[in-house]
């Protein structure tokens, strides 16, 4: 992967927005089949060079947005709500009348929120060892969205640096009130308490089916991630943090027996067996599940999900610090996803250069949209654009099905 130098962005971004950014499927997504004024009432926000920040931008059409992106070449694009009035005219609207009306239900999961349970990295740093936490988060939240909350259209996106975002785009969900959004986030939240809270997961009896299913997801990854990669019971300093989460009747005997075991796997097996024995004696609870969930359960930024007015970084935005593109995730290949193999704006421009003169000679008569389509297909961005296209096709197919259903109900054959 080509090295990225942020100082090169002023030269690279014009190439990216002119030849690589997927303007076509992007505009189709945010137009939602041409719902009246939906695109025109949408807020876009741009971060320019030297952290110049432009909020409440809006555009009459996807083509107008495309021209603006190619004109100002933003370092970052954020997407906001659909408002009552055009965002670029918000200063002309009577105070209080300019209000967000609709928005996708969004989730923002950031690795920095897991710093208390990572032994490999901290802050903005990530590695393959801790990235498993993002995989677990997507698995748990996505299953619950579909099976528990009944949504269909989810676009999961890598943030470009240290996290993942989800855009839930079902028609009825986009109309949800802040209260409904808060209820959904509350349902999907389990880890409670700030930095000063030691025990952040406490399960009540009987254990809710959502939690049981979440434990089943965590169990698939727990040994490899927590016991081997993070080595959570590898030293007295580490196992003390885990033992602090257990009831006293388990903690004290394990404190004495852990030094006799050779590694985290053996110590966890002992902890699990002791918890099972306590249950056989009639003591309710699953303390080992509470530990697993505290170490691995998704940590959502609740405010981003609840508020209609919150902005979230756009798919296919360039991360200005890593140069990586914010690309959609393929849930069929989620376990294979490697954030470090995501194309950077530097690598993509080099791929274009390498493809270079041959294509220009072959397709010299192509129109601009056709040439751009050909350009991105020659690069490692192609499979990610295809994921966006498939997502948009799913949205459009659902809309066609709904129109047919309604016309049948009306007897309009």
């Amino acid at each position: 992967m080509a090295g990225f130098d942020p100082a090169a962005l002023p030269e690279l971004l014009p190439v990216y927005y002119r030849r690589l950014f997927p303007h076509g499927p992007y505009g189709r997504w945010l137009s939602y089949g041409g719902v009246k004024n939906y695109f025109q009432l949408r807020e876009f926000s741009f971060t320019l060079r030297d952290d110049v920040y432009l909020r409440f931008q809006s555009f009459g059409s996807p083509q107008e947005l495309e021209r603006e992106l190619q004109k100002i070449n933003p370092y970052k694009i954020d997407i906001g709500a659909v408002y009552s009035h055009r965002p670029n005219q918000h200063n002309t609207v009577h105070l209080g009348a300019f209000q967000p009306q609709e928005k996708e239900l969004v989730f923002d999961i950031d690795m920095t929120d897991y710093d208390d349970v990572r032994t490999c990295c901290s802050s903005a740093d990530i590695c393959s060892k801790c990235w498993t936490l993002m995989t677990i988060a997507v698995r748990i939240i996505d299953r619950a969205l579909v099976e528990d909350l009944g949504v269909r259209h989810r676009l999961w996106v890598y943030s470009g640096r240290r996290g993942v975002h989800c855009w839930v785009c079902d028609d009825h969900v986009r109309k949800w009130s802040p209260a409904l959004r808060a209820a959904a986030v509350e349902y999907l939240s389990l880890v409670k308490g700030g930095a000063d809270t030691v025990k952040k997961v406490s399960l009540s009896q009987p254990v809710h089916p959502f939690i049981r299913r979440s434990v089943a997801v965590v169990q698939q990854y727990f040994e490899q991630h927590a016991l081997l990669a993070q080595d959570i019971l590898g030293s007295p300093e580490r196992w003390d943090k885990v033992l602090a989460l257990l009831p006293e009747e388990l903690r004290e005997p394990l404190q004495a027996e852990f030094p006799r075991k050779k590694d985290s796997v053996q110590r966890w097996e002992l902890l699990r067996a002791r918890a099972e024995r306590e249950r056989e004696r009639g003591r309710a609870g699953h303390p080992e599940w509470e530990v697993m969930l505290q170490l691995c359960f998704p940590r959502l930024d609740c405010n981003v999900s609840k508020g209609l007015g919150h902005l979230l970084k756009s798919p296919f935005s360039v991360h200005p610090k890593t140069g990586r593109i914010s690309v959609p995730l393929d849930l069929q290949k989620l376990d294979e996803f490697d954030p470090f193999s995501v194309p950077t704006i530097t690598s993509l421009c080099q791929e274009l250069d390498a493809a270079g003169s041959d294509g220009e000679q072959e397709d010299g008569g192509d129109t601009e949209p056709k040439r751009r389509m050909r350009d991105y297909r020659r690069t490692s961005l192609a499979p990610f654009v295809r994921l966006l296209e498939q997502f948009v096709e799913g949205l459009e197919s659902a809309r066609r099905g709904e129109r047919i259903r309604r016309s049948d109900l009306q007897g309009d054959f």
Side-chain angles (χ1 to χ4, degrees):
M1 188 64 67
F4 168 70
D5 177 7
L9 280 172
E11 288 76 47
L12 299 175
L13 286 167
V15 178
Y16 179 71
Y17 288 119
R18 187 168 56 85
R19 299 183 63 184
L20 292 164
F21 188 91
H23 296 283
Y26 187 83
R28 281 164 56 205
W29 166 39
L30 292 173
S31 297
Y32 287 103
V35 176
K36 189 167 186 276
N37 290 332
Y38 212 80
F39 190 88
Q40 292 85 345
L41 295 171
R42 171 80 70 171
E43 178 190 3
F44 293 89
S45 162
F46 302 135
T47 305
L48 309 183
R49 189 175 185 175
D50 299 324
D51 288 328
V52 174
Y53 192 45
L54 304 177
R55 270 206 75 171
F56 300 117
Q57 307 298 296
S58 61
F59 303 93
S61 66
Q63 294 73 29
E64 189 182 322
L65 169 64
E66 177 179 347
R67 288 193 293 273
E68 185 69 7
L69 290 175
Q70 293 174 355
K71 177 181 164 188
I72 67 173
N73 300 302
Y75 277 46
K76 181 165 165 268
I77 308 168
D78 289 293
I79 300 174
V82 175
Y83 278 82
S84 53
H85 302 75
R86 293 196 179 201
N88 63 357
Q89 298 171 3
H90 73 283
N91 286 329
T92 67
V93 177
H94 180 68
L95 192 64
F98 179 69
Q99 294 292 332
Q101 303 292 300
E102 293 189 19
K103 196 180 82 170
E104 297 78 4
L105 174 64
V106 295
F107 297 98
D108 180 6
I109 309 172
D110 193 307
M111 193 72 85
T112 54
D113 293 325
Y114 293 82
D115 276 1
D116 62 313
V117 293
R118 291 195 289 165
T119 60
C120 51
C121 305
S122 64
S123 190
D125 293 333
I126 61 166
C127 70
S128 58
K129 288 182 179 180
C130 55
W131 187 256
T132 304
L133 289 165
M134 292 294 116
T135 304
I136 294 169
V138 174
R139 291 269 183 239
I140 287 175
I141 299 297
D142 194 70
R143 187 215 61 78
L145 287 171
V146 175
E147 297 179 18
D148 301 359
L149 301 183
V151 306
R152 287 180 59 189
H153 302 288
R154 304 97 51 218
L155 181 65
W156 283 95
V157 181
Y158 169 52
S159 72
R161 191 177 193 186
R162 57 175 186 248
V164 293
H165 301 153
C166 179
W167 301 77
V168 180
C169 300
D170 299 49
D171 287 351
H172 71 284
V173 174
R174 299 200 312 273
K175 295 177 169 63
W176 277 6
S177 66
L180 266 178
R181 293 165 195 263
V185 176
E186 180 63 26
Y187 178 79
L188 297 168
S189 298
L190 200 56
V191 180
K192 304 286 175 70
D196 298 331
T197 308
V198 175
K199 184 174 171 60
K200 297 178 181 177
V201 176
S202 296
L203 301 181
S204 56
Q205 300 297 323
V207 177
H208 192 281
F210 164 61
I211 295 171
R212 288 184 176 275
R213 294 185 193 113
S214 298
V215 169
V217 172
V218 172
Q219 283 171 333
Q220 297 171 36
Y221 298 91
F222 191 75
E223 180 171 330
Q224 183 60 44
H225 166 70
L227 304 181
L228 298 176
Q230 299 296 327
D231 198 18
I232 59 162
L233 301 173
S235 67
E237 181 189 8
R238 289 185 180 178
W239 74 55
D240 280 348
K241 291 179 181 177
V242 173
L243 291 176
L245 308 177
L246 299 175
E248 196 173 327
E249 63 271 12
L250 277 178
R251 184 167 60 242
E252 290 188 358
L254 289 172
Q255 193 94 50
E257 293 180 64
F258 269 9
R260 298 182 210 140
K261 301 296 180 182
K262 72 171 188 178
D263 57 24
S264 286
V265 175
Q266 285 193 1
R267 292 181 188 114
W268 180 257
E269 190 50 43
L270 176 65
L271 186 160
R272 209 182 52 74
R274 283 297 169 87
E276 184 61 41
R277 192 185 307 169
E278 288 295 319
R279 277 191 293 277
E280 289 169 359
R281 290 174 176 168
R283 195 178 293 275
H286 290 83
E288 74 277 34
W289 288 5
E290 293 176 340
V291 171
M292 292 167 70
L293 293 167
Q294 179 152 337
L295 295 176
C296 300
F297 191 83
R299 300 182 176 203
L300 304 176
D301 185 331
C302 299
N303 291 326
V304 170
S305 301
K306 290 191 290 193
L308 282 171
H310 266 279
L311 298 161
L312 188 63
K313 180 197 283 179
S314 168
F316 292 95
S317 189
V318 179
H319 196 291
K321 290 200 166 63
T322 64
R324 292 185 208 126
I325 311 301
S326 186
V327 292
L329 298 175
D330 184 348
L331 297 192
Q332 304 303 314
K333 300 176 181 176
L334 186 61
D335 290 342
E336 302 163 31
F337 180 78
D338 174 10
F340 297 103
S341 69
V342 169
T344 66
I345 188 171
T346 307
S347 67
L348 290 171
C349 289
Q350 289 179 355
E351 288 171 38
L352 276 183
D353 287 344
S357 54
D358 297 343
E360 284 170 18
Q361 289 165 6
E362 287 169 24
D363 304 307
D366 271 355
T367 60
E368 175 75 12
K370 280 189 179 175
R371 189 177 59 71
R372 190 189 310 114
M373 187 180 294
R374 188 196 69 230
D375 279 342
Y376 82 69
R377 282 181 176 161
R378 293 174 171 185
T379 72
S380 52
L381 196 63
F384 300 108
V385 176
R386 185 63 196 134
L387 287 171
L388 177 63
E389 289 172 337
Q390 289 169 342
F391 176 73
V392 173
E393 287 161 10
L395 282 170
E396 292 171 343
S397 174
R399 271 195 294 273
R400 283 193 299 272
E402 180 61 19
R403 280 199 298 271
I404 291 168
R405 187 186 71 82
R406 285 181 180 172
S407 81
D408 286 352
L409 286 173
Q410 293 165 2
D412 180 13
F413 301 99

